[in-house]
Amino acid sequence: MTANNDPSSATAGRAKFSRRRLVPLIVVVVASGVVIAMGWQRQLSFETVARHYEVLRAFIAAHEVSAVAAYIGLYIVAVALSVPVGVYLTVTGGILFGAVLGGAAAVVGATIGAICIFLIAKSAIGEYFVRRAGRLAEKVAEGFRADAFNYLLFLRLVPIFPFWLVNLVPALCGVPLATFVAATALGIIPVTFAFAFVGAGLDSVIAAQQAAYQSCLAAGRPDCRLEFHMKAALTPELLGASVALGVLALIPVVVKRLRARATADARERTDASGRIMRDP
């Protein structure tokens, strides 16, 4: 009997799963929980940007490379910890660095952060999860892998899906790293630059709000606040354009399915014709 047919060998192979592989994932989950529990993500707000706008702009003017590197590093950490502040960071990048530089920095940070959590999740529980989840989960994973690039492109283009979830699902389904990186980098470019462009356009709005805030403080009023809402960035037109791009990304998948169905139907007709001709 060969080793491949030996039940004990198969059991031993399944037993090789080591809990040490879970350590990086546990560290990420704990760190993310601490950040959210402490409310540190709430410090990342447009009010904070508006309040320190002049200081930030002065620092960027004097240390642009360091400022961009710090921004990318913050973006990587936020995405790797699955903290839901991606839209804020992207718009802020446009505000501080402009649409082109801010958008490019956001793409780099988001992509690297996504790769980090993807590799951690895949090495920790990816293949083991699919094996243990049963036939249905494995069938779903196989279907996802068959058109992984197009599915991922769709999920990246449509910003209604949580970024952290789109990082984890491919890892659990066993999607290759190269496919994940290519679809992620390409898929987030349109939406990222769109939000960065919106942020660049909000530069004058923040400047005006800061001026009004300073005037309020100078007048001695107790109700002075800097207010900025995401409604200014998440416009229906922007979301509609992202959904349209996502639908276009699924067209190759639909065409592939239709061709496969047409091929299967043609084979059935051919087989049926052959049986009729052989039937005396």
Side-chain angles (χ1 to χ4, degrees):
M1 180 179 294
T2 62
N4 292 335
N5 296 327
D6 188 354
S8 61
S9 298
T11 303
R14 289 194 297 268
K16 288 181 180 179
F17 179 79
S18 173
R19 293 182 180 179
R20 286 182 295 181
R21 295 168 58 181
L22 295 175
V23 172
L25 185 60
I26 293 173
V27 171
V28 168
V29 171
V30 171
S32 179
V34 170
V35 169
I36 295 175
M38 298 296 293
W40 292 339
Q41 78 280 5
R42 289 194 291 272
Q43 301 300 318
L44 300 175
S45 66
F46 290 112
E47 288 81 1
T48 302
V49 173
R51 188 172 295 112
H52 304 287
Y53 180 73
E54 294 299 333
V55 175
L56 290 171
R57 292 294 297 174
F59 178 81
I60 292 171
H63 310 282
E64 185 177 45
V65 175
S66 299
V68 172
Y71 171 79
I72 293 175
L74 177 62
Y75 213 128
I76 292 172
V77 172
V79 173
L81 294 181
S82 300
V83 180
V85 293
V87 173
Y88 160 79
L89 287 176
T90 304
V91 175
T92 300
I95 293 172
L96 297 178
F97 304 107
V100 176
L101 180 57
V107 169
V108 173
T111 301
I112 295 176
I115 292 173
C116 291
I117 190 61
F118 171 83
L119 290 176
I120 290 173
K122 186 174 183 178
S123 62
I125 57 176
E127 296 176 0
Y128 182 80
F129 173 83
V130 173
R131 287 200 308 267
R132 292 291 186 178
R135 291 184 179 180
L136 179 59
E138 188 161 356
K139 186 176 181 180
V140 172
E142 289 177 357
F144 192 94
R145 287 195 300 268
D147 294 291
F149 181 84
N150 295 108
Y151 284 140
L152 274 172
L153 199 58
F154 168 76
L155 295 173
R156 294 302 190 193
L157 287 169
V158 181
I160 61 176
F161 298 99
F163 197 79
W164 62 269
L165 182 62
V166 183
N167 293 333
L168 293 178
V169 170
L172 298 180
C173 291
V175 173
L177 175 62
T179 302
F180 177 83
V181 173
T184 296
L186 183 61
I188 66 176
I189 285 176
V191 177
T192 299
F193 274 96
F195 281 126
F197 182 80
V198 170
L202 295 175
D203 180 78
S204 58
V205 176
I206 288 183
Q209 288 196 354
Q210 189 183 52
Y213 177 71
Q214 295 299 332
S215 298
C216 179
L217 290 178
R221 293 173 53 185
D223 58 342
C224 299
R225 290 188 61 189
L226 275 171
E227 294 185 353
F228 192 98
H229 302 288
M230 282 303 299
K231 293 179 181 179
L234 297 174
T235 63
E237 293 80 8
L238 180 60
L239 294 178
S242 299
V243 172
L245 289 173
V247 171
L248 289 176
L250 284 182
I251 289 179
V253 178
V254 176
V255 171
K256 182 179 179 180
R257 294 286 189 268
L258 291 176
R259 286 180 176 175
R261 182 177 297 179
T263 301
D265 292 342
R267 288 177 178 174
E268 289 180 1
R269 289 194 296 268
T270 301
D271 293 342
S273 300
R275 286 194 297 271
I276 292 174
M277 292 179 65
R278 289 193 302 270
D279 190 357

